[in-house]
Amino acid sequence: MVLRRLFFRWMFPAAVVLPLWLFVGWIVFSGGSGWALLWLFVAMPAVFVSQLLLSLLVRARGSVRESRAVSWRDAVGIGLWHLVIVALGLFDSRVFFPLLVLSVVGALVLFWSSLAQVWNEARGAVTVLHATDGTAYIPAPQERPQQRVDGDVIVVSESRRAE
């Protein structure tokens, strides 16, 4: 649960830190030619926007807001995607293109996964019952019993006076 909560807190800062890492990595690891600089001006906003949208999609789920922790599917997917982006920022020419493709595919898979999870939580569960004659019906929702909240109790004791 601790790891999932860390990812919950990390998602919005990652929208700033990861594009910044790509820029710092380009400087430190000699990103190279002008094509790399052109790629950088496309990649930084793309990582920023995709991370921001992904963060909003994940936080749109009621279960995530309630527990303040992402699901395990989100934690693993986002963790792997962030590792690919960090590796991409190393600008190693031998693995640059495969990592670039993997990061784009990873972003698309994460969006699909997040949308599917939002959809599954938003649609709710509906039970259809059938009467003896075959007619289908949806039963009325059962109300949850309200928890009784006891208020303050004031006890006044009477004392009898001897007359």
Side-chain angles (χ1 to χ4, degrees), residues 3 60 65 134:
L3 181 65
R65 287 192 312 270

Side-chain angles (χ1 to χ4, degrees), residues 49-125:
V49 169
S50 60
Q51 179 63 40
L52 197 61
L53 288 174
L54 184 64
S55 300
L56 292 172
L57 269 175
V58 168
R59 286 182 179 232
R61 297 196 316 264
S63 64
V64 171
R65 287 192 312 270
E66 182 181 332
S67 65
R68 302 192 58 77
V70 299
S71 68
W72 279 112
R73 185 190 325 178
D74 291 331
V76 170
I78 292 168
L80 289 175
W81 185 53
H82 287 179
L83 286 175
V84 169
I85 292 173
V86 168
L88 196 59
L90 298 175
F91 290 92
D92 185 3
S93 62
R94 296 169 293 181
V95 292
F96 183 78
F97 186 72
L99 286 174
L100 179 63
V101 170
L102 191 60
S103 68
V104 171
V105 169
L108 294 174
V109 167
L110 282 170
F111 283 124
W112 173 84
S113 173
S114 295
L115 284 174
Q117 290 180 67
V118 167
W119 177 260
N120 287 336
E121 282 191 25
R123 70 180 169 146

Side-chain angles (χ1 to χ4, degrees), residues 118-152:
V118 167
W119 177 260
N120 287 336
E121 282 191 25
R123 70 180 169 146
V126 176
T127 303
V128 178
L129 300 178
H130 295 279
T132 55
D133 64 351
T135 306
Y137 67 96
I138 298 173
Q142 296 177 354
E143 295 182 18
R144 294 183 201 171
Q146 295 288 334
Q147 289 185 351
R148 187 174 154 192
V149 179
D150 293 331
D152 293 337

Side-chain angles (χ1 to χ4, degrees), residues 38-52:
L38 179 64
W39 171 86
L40 191 64
F41 285 128
V42 172
M44 286 177 58
V47 169
F48 174 76
V49 169
S50 60
Q51 179 63 40
L52 197 61

